[in-house]
Amino acid sequence: MKTIIAGAGLVGCAMAICMKKQGHEVEVFEKRTDPRKDDLSSGRSINLIVTAKAINLFKNLGLWQDVQKITVPVYGRMMHSMTGDLSYQAYGREDEYNNSVSRGMLNNLLIDKAESLGIKINFDHAIEKIELDKKEIIFENKKEAYDKLFGCDGAGSKVRAAILEKLGDKAKYKVDPLGVDYKEFLMPSTSTGEYAIEKKALHIWPRGKHFLMALPNLDGSFTMTLYMPADWYEKFNTPELVENYFRENYADALSLMPNLLEEYQENPQGFLGTVRLSDWTYGDSVALLGDAAHAIVPFFGQGMNCGMSDVEFFRSHADQDWKIQLKNYSDQQKPNGNAIADLSLENFVEMSEKVGDEKFLFRKKIESILETNFPDKYRSRYGLTVYTLTPYHIAQAAGEIQQELISELIRDIDSIEDLCLEKAEKLIDGMLTPWYKSRGVQLDKVI
């Protein structure tokens, strides 16, 4: 039984390792050149965060200790106002954090791990055609037969295209552009090798329709990502205009980015959008995973984590009949893909606008108090999504109840000092606890 993985990205390599550990004959085909030969990802890929769902898979595959070594812990958001004032917002409880990692470094590590297990990865192999009914995949100079084909080939998936062509009007497929594109830059470490800004935080410069974000790297640098309306990149098209734009909006960051103007000109403008697809499987042999099935915008930091939860599904259901696996995969994972897509779009508004809004920050402070005082009863929507294995669609629904709860709790108060914890506990016991129990929600953290 031959298993072919299309794509040697993060999800493709993880799926190959998973299948190999289950005893399958696995081969991977990747259209790119081996990324370990050059720094091919520079300026092209937003830094990632590794959280509970990916950590869970990495632990189950025996990879987490090695992955953790290349991550940097990030405990919360640091907001930068127009005047340079700072305000900090913790992600969760005191000991909870996200793990910032370079996509390129993580991809290279997973490629190495896959090859160490004897998995053959064929680089420079672009798919020309897939004969789904014949179970054949065709490249420029060769043809391969498969028993199982996993499409892990990203947002522009050739495997997905083959399924859509075969299904025709029966398939529902949509790409929703965000209308906001991104560029990456580097904030290098200081002359003494230190981080130029607080290393334990994700930094955000919220400016409404546009914002700047920074995530730390192992070497003391920060990956800086600018998000702004796609057509603005044409408007800021000279070094003088770019420098003026940054001086007006991100003055405290500008002085720490010595190569900004050169990088702005040379680094590509990245597209952001959401892929929604009705059919994640085909027949008894093909499944789409990761961005090939559910590409999302990056503002909840869960794109890679959601892809790894796809892999974990196949790992944890390996004892099921294969046809049942495929059916259950679609039934269980599609609601999660849709939910995290919605949550990511909501978080774009939160990160670009709300993190600087006093009413929003007040609600966040209230929520933090609830998590601190009732750790066994209350987890924020963010905490459920990022620090537990709660399915995304359950966390989304819980978040709606939590917003109602907080609105009721603060209806007659204007300050933290007026908060009544007794009332809060009664609301949690009445609105949340029974709902959690009815859906089997576990509030325990994973990392």
Side-chain angles (χ1 to χ4, degrees):
M1 298 286 286
K2 183 160 186 178
T3 296
I4 287 182
I5 311 289
L10 303 174
V11 174
C13 287
M15 190 61 181
I17 293 169
C18 177
M19 290 290 103
K20 184 69 173 181
K21 286 179 174 285
Q22 290 179 11
H24 295 271
E25 178 190 351
V26 182
E27 193 165 357
V28 181
F29 292 87
E30 167 59 51
K31 69 178 181 180
R32 301 173 301 165
T33 299
D34 187 340
R36 296 168 296 183
K37 294 181 179 178
D38 294 293
D39 184 13
L40 300 178
S41 65
S42 178
R44 295 178 180 271
S45 176
I46 300 166
N47 265 40
L48 306 168
I49 60 168
V50 186
T51 56
K53 292 173 178 63
I55 291 172
N56 180 57
L57 174 71
F58 291 148
K59 285 182 176 179
N60 288 331
L61 294 180
L63 301 172
W64 175 234
Q65 287 188 345
D66 290 317
V67 172
Q68 190 174 27
K69 291 175 183 176
I70 61 171
T71 67
V72 179
V74 176
Y75 289 83
R77 296 169 173 171
M78 185 74 78
M79 277 69 74
H80 296 243
S81 74
M82 288 288 289
T83 58
D85 294 331
L86 302 178
S87 58
Y88 178 75
Q89 181 187 108
Y91 280 133
R93 300 167 187 172
E94 186 176 350
D95 60 341
E96 291 178 335
Y97 57 89
N98 300 337
N99 299 272
S100 175
V101 67
S102 157
R103 178 187 290 270
M105 290 182 69
L106 180 57
N107 200 173
N108 290 350
L109 184 153
L110 293 177
I111 290 171
D112 288 342
K113 292 294 183 181
E115 289 184 340
S116 73
L117 294 174
I119 297 169
K120 183 178 181 182
I121 301 179
N122 302 276
F123 294 101
D124 299 304
H125 275 67
I127 297 172
E128 291 195 347
K129 189 176 182 181
I130 301 173
E131 298 282 1
L132 292 171
D133 294 334
K134 294 181 181 179
K135 298 184 180 179
E136 291 179 344
I137 184 166
I138 301 165
F139 306 95
E140 183 179 359
N141 297 314
K142 66 191 302 186
K143 180 189 298 185
E144 290 284 340
Y146 61 82
D147 298 293
K148 297 177 182 177
L149 171 62
F150 293 101
C152 306
D153 48 341
S157 171
K158 287 292 186 72
V159 181
R160 183 182 67 225
I163 293 175
L164 291 172
E165 182 180 2
K166 194 70 178 177
L167 295 178
D169 294 338
K170 295 179 182 179
K172 295 180 180 179
Y173 169 63
K174 189 178 182 182
V175 178
D176 293 318
L178 182 63
V180 170
D181 287 358
Y182 72 93
K183 273 184 182 283
E184 283 196 346
F185 315 99
L186 186 72
M187 179 184 289
S189 61
T190 66
S191 58
T192 58
E194 302 296 322
Y195 290 92
I197 53 180
E198 172 56 54
K199 70 176 182 178
K200 292 185 179 181
L202 175 149
H203 294 257
I204 305 176
W205 289 255
R207 301 295 184 259
K209 293 182 179 179
H210 56 121
F211 69 99
L212 185 67
M213 187 179 80
L215 272 170
N217 299 310
L218 278 177
D219 62 359
S221 67
F222 278 81
T223 296
M224 314 294 293
T225 309
L226 173 67
Y227 301 96
M228 66 181 182
D231 57 354
W232 286 24
Y233 289 96
E234 297 178 8
K235 181 168 66 173
F236 300 113
N237 56 7
T238 69
E240 182 180 9
L241 288 172
V242 172
E243 186 170 3
N244 289 340
Y245 165 75
F246 270 82
R247 180 170 290 109
E248 179 180 346
N249 292 283
Y250 314 113
D252 57 338
L254 177 61
S255 62
L256 304 175
M257 301 164 66
N259 300 314
L260 168 67
L261 299 181
E262 179 182 337
E263 291 171 345
Y264 187 95
Q265 182 178 5
E266 294 181 357
N267 290 351
Q269 179 177 331
F271 170 82
L272 296 173
T274 302
V275 170
R276 298 185 190 270
L277 179 66
S278 60
D279 299 272
W280 290 15
T281 63
Y282 181 84
D284 64 352
S285 58
V286 184
L288 299 171
L289 287 76
D291 286 354
H294 48 73
I296 61 176
V297 295
F299 304 110
F300 218 112
Q302 290 300 296
M304 183 271 294
N305 291 277
C306 187
M308 294 305 175
S309 75
D310 294 341
V311 178
E312 173 60 20
F313 174 89
F314 287 103
R315 190 205 67 83
S316 61
H317 292 77
D319 58 342
Q320 290 183 345
D321 175 81
W322 173 240
K323 291 182 180 179
I324 294 176
Q325 277 191 62
L326 286 181
K327 181 181 185 305
N328 289 342
Y329 171 63
S330 289
D331 290 347
Q332 293 183 32
Q333 289 296 96
K334 278 201 294 184
N336 290 321
N338 290 332
I340 195 58
D342 293 338
L343 292 173
S344 299
L345 289 168
E346 287 179 27
N347 231 36
F348 168 68
V349 178
E350 181 173 314
M351 294 175 74
S352 60
E353 300 178 21
K354 290 185 178 181
V355 290
D357 180 78
E358 288 301 321
K359 290 182 179 179
F360 173 81
L361 293 176
F362 178 63
R363 294 178 72 96
K364 283 293 185 182
K365 288 177 182 177
I366 295 292
E367 189 161 62
S368 178
I369 291 171
L370 297 184
E371 284 203 286
T372 300
N373 284 274
F374 310 109
D376 298 328
K377 295 182 177 183
Y378 192 95
R379 294 284 287 182
S380 68
R381 184 184 74 175
Y382 186 88
L384 284 173
T385 301
V386 174
Y387 301 123
T388 80
L389 300 181
T390 303
Y392 291 121
H393 72 281
I394 298 294
Q396 182 185 37
E400 294 174 1
I401 298 173
Q402 291 167 354
Q403 289 306 304
E404 293 177 15
L405 187 157
I406 292 174
S407 293
E408 175 62 25
L409 185 59
I410 66 174
R411 183 160 49 90
D412 300 317
I413 68 172
D414 297 313
S415 68
I416 297 294
E417 290 74 20
D418 296 328
L419 176 65
C420 176
L421 291 178
E422 183 179 351
K423 179 180 178 180
E425 187 167 24
K426 287 181 179 179
L427 287 171
I428 293 170
D429 289 342
M431 297 176 68
L432 266 182
T433 302
W435 190 88
Y436 283 150
K437 288 182 178 178
S438 70
R439 286 155 179 79
V441 175
Q442 300 292 320
L443 300 185
D444 303 274
K445 69 174 185 176
V446 173
I447 60 174

